[in-house]
Amino acid sequence: MTSQPELVDAAPTEDKAPELVNPKLTANLRADYEALRNDVQQANELAADFQKKLAGKSNEFAILKQVFEKACQDLGQLQVGITQLREERHRLANEAMRATALQMKLTNVTNERDRLRKEMEALSIALANVTEDCERSFRLRDKQIADLTVQLASARQTGGGGAPVPRNVREPKTAAAERMPSAEIVLGNDDDFIDISFES
């Protein structure tokens, strides 16, 4: 700080000369200048340090911003993946229900097929039995017709003196023969006419 110059009396004394300039003024100014220059230098250094710290903070902020943006992108992709997984789970659940329904339908169809196969086997056996009975009945009927024909021929050769031919000839009825029409052989007045009719 600058010091005020000392005021001297208007009437100087005889043994002492008046002082117009403070001899310590230059030293004080120089000391104040050095102190101010030191303060400015420290302020510049502190400002440079703050600038470096600010640049570091700016870099950290930029890095944090990039990390945040990357995290937001990853979160978006995660949400998309969760949505796709949910849709896939629903699709698999539908497929599982459809497979269960198809399995039940296949079981029902298999049971129906087995039942129809058993019925077809039973019908085949019954048809074979009926066919065998019919063939047996036809063989017996053919044999009776052949026997009657032989008897008729013998009666013609002997001039009617043979044994009388029964009017109604019926074979023993079997289970199949009862379902088949029976033959009735009727001899007319004329020896050349034979009436064979079937009764149900």
Side-chain angles (χ1 to χ4, degrees), residues 73-99:
Q73 292 178 359
D74 294 339
L75 180 61
Q77 293 179 356
L78 180 62
Q79 290 178 349
V80 171
I82 290 173
T83 303
Q84 292 177 353
L85 287 176
R86 187 177 291 115
E87 292 177 354
E88 185 70 15
R89 184 190 65 183
H90 290 316
R91 188 181 66 80
L92 290 176
N94 292 334
E95 291 294 331
M97 293 176 62
R98 185 178 302 172

Side-chain angles (χ1 to χ4, degrees), residues 1-6 21-33 35-36:
M1 297 295 293
T2 59
S3 60
Q4 296 289 335
E6 296 180 0
V21 178
N22 187 359
K24 296 181 180 180
L25 181 60
T26 301
N28 292 336
L29 289 175
R30 197 178 292 274
D32 291 339
Y33 173 75
L36 184 60

Side-chain angles (χ1 to χ4, degrees), residues 2-200:
T2 59
S3 60
Q4 296 289 335
E6 296 180 0
L7 299 177
V8 295
D9 295 335
T13 57
E14 293 179 356
D15 56 354
K16 196 174 186 179
E19 294 180 358
L20 298 178
V21 178
N22 187 359
K24 296 181 180 180
L25 181 60
T26 301
N28 292 336
L29 289 175
R30 197 178 292 274
D32 291 339
Y33 173 75
E34 290 295 332
L36 184 60
R37 188 176 67 177
N38 290 333
D39 292 339
V40 171
Q41 185 177 359
Q42 291 178 1
N44 289 332
E45 292 176 356
L46 187 60
D49 189 18
F50 285 159
Q51 189 69 28
K52 291 179 181 179
K53 290 182 179 181
L54 180 61
K57 294 295 182 182
S58 299
N59 293 334
E60 291 178 2
F61 178 75
I63 294 173
L64 290 176
K65 186 177 181 180
Q66 291 178 358
V67 172
F68 179 73
E69 291 177 354
K70 185 69 168 55
C72 290
Q73 292 178 359
D74 294 339
L75 180 61
Q77 293 179 356
L78 180 62
Q79 290 178 349
V80 171
I82 290 173
T83 303
Q84 292 177 353
L85 287 176
R86 187 177 291 115
E87 292 177 354
E88 185 70 15
R89 184 190 65 183
H90 290 316
R91 188 181 66 80
L92 290 176
N94 292 334
E95 291 294 331
M97 293 176 62
R98 185 178 302 172
T100 303
L102 290 176
Q103 183 66 33
M104 293 177 60
K105 187 174 181 180
L106 179 62
T107 302
N108 294 332
V109 170
T110 303
N111 294 334
E112 185 70 15
R113 182 202 63 187
D114 295 339
R115 185 182 65 80
L116 291 175
R117 180 178 294 173
K118 291 179 181 179
E119 290 181 359
M120 184 182 68
E121 291 176 355
L123 290 175
S124 298
I125 295 173
L127 181 61
N129 293 332
V130 170
T131 303
E132 185 178 355
D133 291 341
C134 289
E135 290 177 354
R136 187 183 301 112
S137 176
F138 288 154
R139 287 195 299 269
L140 290 174
R141 187 163 298 173
D142 292 341
K143 185 177 182 301
Q144 287 180 354
I145 291 173
D147 292 341
L148 290 175
T149 304
V150 171
Q151 290 179 8
L152 181 61
S154 299
R156 286 180 179 175
Q157 287 179 358
T158 58
V165 179
R167 181 176 182 84
N168 295 330
V169 178
R170 296 181 182 270
E171 64 178 2
K173 289 187 177 181
T174 61
E178 290 180 354
R179 294 191 296 269
M180 299 298 296
S182 59
E184 181 180 356
I185 301 177
V186 179
L187 295 178
N189 296 327
D190 191 359
D191 292 340
D192 295 333
F193 176 75
I194 298 177
D195 185 10
I196 298 176
S197 62
F198 293 91
E199 293 181 357
S200 57

